[in-house]
Amino acid sequence: MSRDDWPYPLWIAHRGAGKLAPENTLAAFRLGAQHGYRAFECDVKLSADEVPFLLHDATLERTTPATGNAGDRRWEALSQLDAGAWHSRAYAGEPMPTLAAIAAYVQHNRFVLNIEIKPTPGVEARTGELVAQHATRLWAGQPVPPLLSSFRPEALAAAQAAAPALPRALLLDTLWDGWFGVAQALGVVAVVSKHTLMDDVLRTQLRDAGLRALCYTVNDVAEAERLKALGIDGLITDAVDRFAPA
C-alpha cells in the first residue's frame, strides 16, 4: 500500500464496540456492526504457545476470572476463560477470540481492521513478527489489508521486517523526543495519536511528510468536530452509539 492509498473509513470502533460490550470479543464486534460500523480496532498479543489472540492488558484479572500474565498461558487454557461476565451478565461465557477468528468475521462481512500489536512486556519483537506473519497469511488475497499499529517501535520494526507490504502506524500517547524520525525510519503510513495531541501543527507536519493522521479515543462530539475540521483520516471511538459512522 502506498501512502496515497487510504481504504479505511473515518470512524473506527475501539476494541469492537468500545465500552458497550466486553472489549476485544466477537460479541463486541457484532454490536459495533449493529451500530453501522465497518472498521474496527483490536489489541493482539501472543499466548505462551505463540497463538495471536485478542486482549488489551498484559494481565488477565481485569477482564477474566483468572490472574497473572496472559502471555504465560497456552492458548488451550486461555480459550476456556470467561471474558464477558466482567462486563455484564448478558455476556457471561464470552471467550477471547484468536486473530484468526476475527479475521474470518471481518472478511466475511467485508469489514476492515486496525490491529494494535499489544505485546506482553519482553516479547515486543516476537509479537510484531508473528502478528505480521499471521496477518499476511490470514488476509492473503483480500482487497484491504489490516493496518498494523503499535506504541512499541520494536514491534513495528519486527512487523516491517516480517511483512513489509502490510501498512503500519505508530501510536503516540505523548510527542516523545525523536518520534518523528522513528516513524520515518519504520516506514509507517500513518500516526495514531491521543486526540488531545492533535492540532494544526501536528496535522501539517504529518501531511507534509505524506503520513495519514488518526486519533484515539474520540468520544466527545465537540472534539470530533474539531478533529474533522483538521482533516483527520481516522477517529477511533468507544461511543459507537453516539457517532453514526456513515
Side-chain angles (χ1 to χ4, degrees), residues 52 99-100 103 107 130-142 163 166:
L99 177 59
Q107 290 170 27
L130 284 183
V131 169
Q133 288 177 354
H134 280 262
T136 297
R137 175 178 56 82
L138 291 167
W139 271 266
Q142 293 297 311
L166 287 181

Side-chain angles (χ1 to χ4, degrees), residues 7-9 29 38-41 106 110-114 139 144-146:
Y8 308 102
F29 274 67
R38 297 296 179 263
F40 296 86
E41 182 268 359
V106 299
R110 298 184 181 179
F111 299 158
V112 296
L113 191 63
N114 167 205
W139 271 266
V144 181

Side-chain angles (χ1 to χ4, degrees), residues 171-230:
L171 276 156
L172 296 174
D173 56 1
T174 63
L175 297 178
W176 41 269
D177 288 345
W179 71 266
F180 187 64
V182 168
Q184 292 183 308
L186 290 170
V188 300
V189 299
V191 166
V192 185
S193 76
K194 185 176 180 179
H195 68 91
T196 52
L197 298 177
M198 186 58 64
D199 57 17
D200 188 60
V201 173
L202 178 56
R203 181 70 189 97
T204 300
Q205 182 181 16
L206 296 175
R207 184 185 290 114
D208 289 350
L211 298 175
R212 299 287 179 163
L214 290 78
C215 292
Y216 74 92
T217 304
V218 184
N219 298 329
D220 176 75
V221 173
E223 180 68 348
E225 292 303 316
R226 180 185 76 85
L227 293 167
K228 285 195 290 184
L230 291 174

